[in-house]
Amino acid sequence: MANRTFLPSRLLLLLVFTCFAFALQAAPKLAYKLAMPEPQTHYFEVEMHLQDFKDKYLDIKMPVWAPGSYLVREFPKHVEGFSATSGSKKLKAEKINKNTWRVYTDKSRDVEVNYKVYAFELTVRTSFVDEMHAYLNGTSVFMYPDKYKNLPSEITVEPYGNWNQISTSLPIIGGNKWKLKADNYDILADSPMEIGTHKILNFEASGVQHEVAMFGDSNYDDVKVVADMKKIVEECTKVFGEHPVKGKYVFIIHNILNGGGGLEHLNSTTLQVARWSYQPENSYNGFLSLVAHEYFHLWNVKRLRPKPLGPFNYDAENYTNLLWVSEGLTSYYDDHLVRRAGFYSPERYLDIITSAINNVENTPGVKVQSLAESSFDAWIKSYRPNENSRNAEISYYSKGALIGLLLDLEIMNQTKGEETLDNVMQNMYQKYYKKLDRGFTDEEMQKELEKVAGIKLDNFFRDYIYGTVTPDYAKYFAYAGLKFTNLNANSQEVALGATTANQGGKIVVTNVVRNGSAWNGGLNVNDEIIALNGYRITEDLNKSVTGRAEGEKMNLIVNRDGRLLSIDLTMQKNPNVRFKIEKMPEQTAAQQKIFQKWLRIQ
């Protein structure tokens, strides 16, 4: 038996405590200080304090995109004056790629990094500061030490002048609203801040406190906005059966001249609203639809998500075929939830659906690009439209919403009105987010739909998700006792298939529709229209072709890059559809049940 040496128990306890204390003391710590001392120059000043890192060098990174907005925006292009010090000693720092700065610590355990960020783009995806307020998205302002994304951090905000409000979902430290904490970088990146003198409204819904940060003058009514947003929150929560937020949820609303759109975050959202659009009713209901869309993301995409959308790679694109689920199904639910909350009548909701179908089916790209392709190529196409986009692309938002509608009706038909798309969303939320804590795949999405519908959906996915087959809308609406007709089916109207605009007194082509009269005749975008059939053109060319017959010949003289060209066109029938949805004169009991279930008619 080997010899053993035993330490006295008190000495052993002291040794263990000392080692534990040293380990705690040596754990890396990260803190940020955010200042905006000269907001009129549009700069944020950021200080990172990195303590007790043992690395010979630290790679400090900034994301190149913002989750929820699928475009590489190259945020590091706005960074200036990057430097690193340890006490009074300047440390060597060099930029090693477009979004990484390498800091050589020189054995220093206390490193301070300083940089400035130019922020003068007020969108929901970017950051902005001026003399009125500051708004920031974490990905475009805060850097992080590579390999340490899971490290918690503290953030100290130094507001400018008399700014006395800060709205963010980040928890505060010690009751001081200017001192915040983030459990990791993903949380920090996903928690926007509004700083200034904005108005704050509060309400409780679904057992959760909600804060509404209202920036900018507007014509909203405090009491009405709060009451109606509360209804939307409760309707969203009913879909999933529970609310995931443990602290508070924050709406940041920018009321600006030409606002529109939103961006979802883990426990908050940012909305941009045209400042006078809270009236009349139709415009106001559009605002509620935006609220519903971004709030629904609280579950669908921020928690229930496709596999590639988390954990995020902030350095490059994160590709998925499933944005039609994350954004498209959410787009289906936004107006549907406004209907459920009682803001849209059934008739008004059917009008909205009709307009949505007309818009999608009159986009030539719907026959070119599939929903899966639209999702995957969002990074290079969706946010970069050009004059040919409508001919070559379809939005995963708009077509995805229609696919959600068809799936909902199919599920209700197959289950005799007992199950809906809600059940699929509930099941997937419980399974993939709460139980498995991971994203879902393309195959799993189809299987979950099939499980609730009780049928195979191979043909549906082949034709409508991965293909470009026009859906049989009439079949699906018939499930709910609705008649679906194309009012243009027998129309003999012709169309030029191009749009023009008056640009400084010149009639210039701005869009040419695939396979239309102008397309087949060789008319180009940017052509200046000089004459039609020998006569000078001084107004929209479409007015001059009204009433012409299919097959009629026309001659155009155009200026193309300084050359005068003669172009012969043959007028073709207008291919556009104009659908109408109306109740069938007589509905079966099964149709009535689905009709009432779908439109939530009591």
Side-chain angles (χ1 to χ4, degrees):
M1 182 179 291
N3 292 328
R4 295 181 179 178
T5 302
F6 294 94
L7 292 173
S9 58
R10 293 175 65 182
L11 180 59
L12 181 60
L13 184 63
L14 179 62
L15 181 61
V16 170
F17 178 80
T18 302
C19 292
F20 179 70
F22 180 77
L24 283 178
Q25 193 176 30
K29 296 182 180 65
L30 176 61
Y32 299 88
K33 184 168 71 174
L34 176 73
M36 54 229 74
E38 299 177 298
Q40 76 283 0
T41 66
H42 317 301
Y43 280 94
F44 286 112
E45 296 185 2
V46 183
E47 176 185 307
M48 293 177 67
H49 190 196
L50 303 107
Q51 186 176 357
D52 290 323
F53 286 78
K54 301 184 178 75
D55 311 65
K56 291 182 179 180
Y57 61 81
L58 292 168
D59 284 344
I60 309 298
K61 303 179 75 73
M62 175 174 270
V64 301
W65 67 288
S69 181
Y70 306 103
L71 174 68
V72 171
R73 297 181 183 275
E74 309 293 17
F75 293 132
K77 68 184 177 182
H78 297 302
V79 173
E80 298 177 22
F82 186 96
S83 66
T85 57
S86 179
S88 59
K89 180 174 62 176
K90 185 176 181 179
L91 300 177
K92 179 183 175 182
E94 59 181 350
K95 194 171 185 180
I96 61 172
N97 59 42
K98 68 178 182 179
N99 68 320
T100 309
W101 289 258
R102 178 163 291 174
V103 175
Y104 296 89
T105 60
D106 194 24
K107 299 182 181 180
S108 300
R109 300 292 290 274
D110 198 339
V111 175
E112 184 179 295
V113 169
N114 288 273
Y115 60 92
K116 297 169 68 174
V117 178
Y118 182 71
F120 195 51
E121 187 178 0
L122 186 57
T123 73
V124 297
R125 313 167 188 92
T126 52
S127 296
F128 179 91
V129 58
D130 70 3
E131 71 284 355
M132 296 181 64
H133 73 131
Y135 170 72
L136 68 89
N137 277 295
T139 49
S140 56
V141 173
F142 294 113
M143 298 187 185
Y144 65 94
D146 193 22
K147 300 184 296 184
Y148 292 95
K149 279 200 301 183
N150 291 327
L151 193 65
S153 62
E154 295 184 0
I155 308 94
T156 300
V157 178
E158 294 185 350
Y160 170 73
N162 67 338
W163 293 359
N164 59 358
Q165 300 284 19
I166 180 169
S167 292
T168 180
S169 59
L170 290 174
I172 64 175
I173 300 173
N176 183 347
K177 65 183 178 183
W178 303 110
K179 289 189 176 295
L180 310 165
K181 62 180 180 179
D183 289 342
N184 52 56
Y185 183 78
D186 288 329
I187 299 292
L188 178 61
D190 208 21
S191 303
M193 302 179 193
E194 175 67 24
I195 306 165
T197 58
H198 53 275
K199 187 174 187 176
I200 293 180
L201 308 175
N202 293 286
F203 67 91
E204 182 180 334
S206 299
V208 175
Q209 289 295 326
H210 292 74
E211 177 180 311
V212 184
M214 284 285 197
F215 168 78
D217 295 330
S218 187
N219 60 345
Y220 63 85
D221 177 272
D222 291 11
V223 175
K224 181 174 176 57
V225 162
V226 164
D228 293 347
M229 290 178 72
K230 182 175 180 177
K231 289 181 183 178
I232 296 297
V233 166
E234 291 170 344
E235 287 299 326
C236 288
T237 307
K238 287 177 186 176
V239 174
F240 292 92
E242 63 181 52
H243 203 289
V245 174
K246 303 305 179 187
K248 69 175 179 180
Y249 185 92
V250 177
F251 291 94
I252 296 174
I253 302 180
H254 293 149
N255 298 296
I256 57 179
L257 181 61
N258 296 312
L263 186 67
E264 71 277 2
H265 298 280
L266 187 66
N267 296 310
S268 60
T269 187
T270 302
L271 312 178
Q272 287 199 344
V273 181
R275 63 169 56 101
W276 310 124
S277 63
Y278 293 87
Q279 299 172 20
E281 182 181 16
N282 280 350
S283 178
Y284 177 66
N285 286 342
F287 161 72
L288 294 180
S289 178
L290 176 62
V291 170
H293 184 100
E294 302 306 335
Y295 203 83
F296 195 80
H297 276 314
L298 183 60
W299 295 267
N300 190 31
V301 88
K302 297 315 301 183
R303 288 165 175 84
L304 173 62
R305 58 175 177 79
K307 246 185 175 180
L309 297 186
F312 294 120
N313 174 7
Y314 293 108
D315 295 340
E317 297 87 348
N318 293 226
Y319 294 102
T320 175
N321 291 326
L322 292 165
L323 291 184
W324 69 269
V325 174
S326 299
E327 292 293 353
L329 296 192
T330 300
S331 294
Y332 166 59
Y333 270 102
D334 56 29
D335 281 323
H336 201 249
L337 288 164
V338 175
R339 162 62 204 140
R340 295 188 195 192
F343 297 105
Y344 289 144
S345 67
E347 295 75 20
R348 173 58 182 152
Y349 179 66
L350 290 178
D351 286 344
I352 290 171
I353 293 299
T354 303
S355 295
I357 296 174
N358 288 338
N359 176 60
V360 167
E361 295 306 328
N362 287 327
T363 301
V366 76
K367 293 180 172 58
V368 177
Q369 186 185 51
S370 73
L371 260 185
E373 290 171 334
S374 176
S375 299
F376 193 86
D377 282 344
W379 295 93
I380 58 173
K381 292 186 177 182
S382 181
Y383 291 89
R384 291 170 173 162
N386 59 33
E387 69 283 349
N388 194 50
S389 292
R390 282 182 60 82
N391 289 324
E393 303 169 31
I394 192 63
S395 167
Y396 49 80
Y397 285 88
S398 55
K399 186 178 177 183
L402 298 183
I403 293 303
L405 183 157
L406 301 184
L407 286 168
D408 204 5
L409 290 173
E410 184 67 84
I411 290 169
M412 282 185 272
N413 179 62
Q414 295 296 332
T415 63
K416 297 180 171 54
E418 296 302 316
E419 305 285 317
T420 70
L421 187 58
D422 288 14
N423 298 98
V424 178
M425 304 305 288
Q426 291 166 11
N427 293 347
M428 293 185 70
Y429 177 77
Q430 291 293 327
K431 180 177 180 179
Y432 294 101
Y433 170 63
K434 297 196 71 178
K435 183 179 178 181
L436 300 178
D437 191 25
R438 68 166 175 85
F440 55 87
T441 66
D442 300 53
E443 295 76 17
E444 288 167 338
M445 181 72 221
Q446 181 176 337
K447 287 178 182 178
E448 295 297 331
L449 286 162
E450 291 174 338
K451 189 183 301 180
V452 175
I455 60 169
K456 296 293 289 182
L457 292 170
D458 290 339
N459 292 344
F460 187 100
F461 271 71
R462 180 197 64 206
D463 292 344
Y464 305 155
I465 308 300
Y466 301 109
T468 59
V469 176
T470 302
D472 186 354
Y473 294 105
K475 179 184 80 170
Y476 293 96
F477 284 112
Y479 294 157
L482 294 167
K483 184 180 179 182
F484 183 79
T485 54
N486 177 13
L487 299 179
N488 284 357
N490 299 315
S491 173
Q492 298 304 309
E493 180 185 49
V494 298
L496 175 65
T499 56
T500 62
N502 189 319
Q503 298 180 1
K506 299 177 180 180
I507 306 303
V508 178
V509 178
T510 56
N511 173 261
V512 179
V513 178
R514 181 185 294 270
N515 293 326
S517 307
W519 175 284
N520 291 329
L523 196 63
N524 286 358
V525 168
N526 296 327
D527 283 351
E528 177 194 353
I529 308 299
I530 304 296
L532 168 63
N533 292 341
Y535 289 91
R536 189 79 167 90
I537 287 291
T538 59
E539 61 180 3
D540 182 3
L541 184 59
N542 285 280
K543 293 181 180 180
S544 299
V545 303
T546 301
R548 296 181 185 270
E550 184 178 5
E552 186 173 342
K553 307 291 185 181
M554 297 197 318
N555 174 262
L556 292 175
I557 301 299
V558 305
N559 169 17
R560 182 178 295 168
D561 193 31
R563 294 182 300 144
L564 290 182
L565 302 177
S566 176
I567 296 177
D568 293 320
L569 303 182
T570 301
M571 296 306 297
Q572 299 173 203
K573 186 178 176 181
N574 186 349
N576 281 0
V577 295
R578 184 165 61 94
F579 292 118
K580 181 179 181 180
I581 302 173
E582 56 188 334
K583 283 185 69 173
M584 293 177 176
E586 294 184 6
Q587 293 181 332
T588 66
Q591 288 173 326
Q592 283 184 346
K593 182 176 182 179
I594 292 175
F595 178 79
Q596 293 173 351
K597 179 91 171 201
W598 179 46
L599 296 179
R600 301 308 194 268
I601 298 173
Q602 303 300 323

